[in-house]
Amino acid sequence: MKKKHPTIAALAKLTKKEQQQLRKRTEKQTAPLKRLLDDKLPPKLQDTLRGAFLHAFEAVFSHGGAIIDKSFSVEKRQTEYQVHRYTAALQPTKKNLRAFSRKAQQIRRGNTVLSGTAGFAMGLFGIGLPDIPVFVGFLLKNVYETALANGFGYKTPGEQYFILLLIEAALSCGSAAETSEALVNAWIEAHCSIPAAKQTPQVFREQLKQTAYTLADAVLYVKFIQGIPIVGAAGGISDAVCVSQIGSYAALKYERRRLTQITPKTTEKQ
């Protein structure tokens, strides 16, 4: 029996992880916190939160994420990728191919801790809505570093559109999770051998809004708690949970992009 090419084996293993994650999202039940607080939320809180997240995303993308860029070394991440790429090309063993995902995991853990610490501190003082730009900053920082760890950029409209798709898909549940998963994978297949295409302003704007609303709805109840001094510390920690969830999903999809580009097509069909 012919041994599978290492990248094909890695892609098959990755697919199983993706399917497991998707199954969890499609089977996700209503959170106890939602049932507990449903009748206690201020009527306009959801609209206010959606607007705040939309504004936060607009601010980051319109200004090119200059502040986020200063929070980590782009050159370091690019160098690490080049080293891992060279090693994996020279010896495509399981260990060398896993170097990319191990780095992405380290990045996710570090940003999760930072986000949780910031969210806890703000929640301790009852800072809810003002925490949103900081939260979005940590979230995007995590995704940006994950992209670089796999050899991809994050500043072009096409890459930013992909990031918005990732965030929405990571937070979707039920039938919406299956739909968003299919969209992400279709985008990857379409761009596996060509640069990310520029999205029309209208399409980009619609996805920006959709992603911001999905994120706002996902953290609606914990942001409500975060606005309460002392008790809000628990809500603040949820920032870390969300950053980790999105980071974990992003790591899988950037790994898929990378493996899809280097996997031999002729061998894959055998």
Side-chain angles (χ1 to χ4, degrees):
M1 184 177 179
K2 189 174 181 179
K3 189 176 181 180
K4 283 185 178 180
H5 190 279
T7 57
I8 293 179
L11 196 54
K13 186 176 181 180
L14 174 67
T15 299
K16 290 182 179 179
K17 288 182 181 178
E18 290 175 323
Q19 291 172 344
Q20 291 173 351
Q21 266 204 11
L22 177 60
R23 190 157 45 247
K24 289 180 181 179
R25 295 199 306 279
T26 54
E27 297 173 354
K28 189 175 181 180
Q29 302 296 318
T30 302
L33 193 60
K34 181 180 184 302
R35 295 194 296 267
L36 182 65
L37 299 176
D38 237 352
D39 59 343
K40 297 179 177 62
L41 291 178
K44 295 184 178 181
L45 179 61
Q46 185 178 45
D47 290 339
T48 301
L49 202 61
R50 284 181 167 185
F53 272 106
L54 181 58
H55 179 72
F57 274 114
E58 287 174 337
V60 171
F61 287 137
S62 63
H63 298 298
I67 296 178
I68 299 177
D69 287 348
K70 294 178 181 178
S71 65
F72 66 95
S73 173
V74 174
E75 292 77 13
K76 179 181 178 181
R77 294 295 177 225
Q78 290 174 330
T79 300
E80 290 170 342
Y81 165 73
Q82 292 297 338
V83 171
H84 292 154
R85 180 186 178 185
Y86 176 78
T87 305
L90 198 63
Q91 292 184 313
T93 62
K94 289 182 180 179
K95 179 181 178 180
N96 290 339
L97 288 173
R98 282 200 299 266
F100 302 92
S101 58
R102 285 199 301 269
K103 174 52 64 176
Q105 188 177 54
Q106 290 174 10
I107 290 169
R108 178 173 58 85
R109 287 174 177 171
N111 285 314
T112 296
V113 171
L114 290 174
S115 177
T117 302
F120 178 85
M122 290 190 172
L124 197 62
F125 294 100
I127 301 174
L129 290 179
D131 165 62
I132 290 175
V134 177
F135 171 46
V136 170
F138 277 120
L139 190 158
L140 290 175
K141 175 180 181 291
N142 194 24
V143 178
Y144 289 174
E145 289 190 85
T146 302
L148 291 172
N150 285 278
F152 300 102
Y154 55 86
K155 291 187 176 182
T156 66
E159 291 293 351
Q160 290 176 349
Y161 182 80
F162 179 63
I163 288 170
L164 291 172
L165 286 179
L166 288 179
I167 296 172
E168 182 187 4
L171 298 173
S172 298
C173 56
S175 59
E178 296 180 340
T179 301
S180 58
E181 178 78 2
L183 285 174
V184 170
N185 286 342
W187 191 100
I188 292 173
E189 286 298 321
H191 298 84
C192 66
S193 58
I194 58 174
K198 184 177 181 179
Q199 307 300 319
T200 64
Q202 183 178 358
V203 171
F204 184 85
R205 171 68 185 179
E206 185 56 38
Q207 186 58 52
L208 183 69
K209 181 179 178 181
Q210 193 168 318
T211 298
Y213 284 12
T214 299
L215 181 56
D217 293 347
V219 299
L220 175 64
Y221 298 91
V222 293
K223 285 302 172 189
F224 172 64
I225 290 178
Q226 194 174 355
I228 305 173
I230 308 298
V231 178
I237 294 176
S238 68
D239 286 2
V241 175
C242 194
V243 167
S244 180
Q245 180 180 341
I246 294 171
S248 177
Y249 183 80
L252 289 180
K253 293 309 177 183
Y254 277 115
E255 184 177 2
R256 171 167 286 280
R257 281 183 69 179
R258 179 175 51 77
L259 289 174
T260 299
Q261 288 184 346
I262 64 175
T263 298
K265 301 301 179 184
T266 53
T267 309
E268 191 175 17
K269 294 178 181 178
Q270 291 177 357

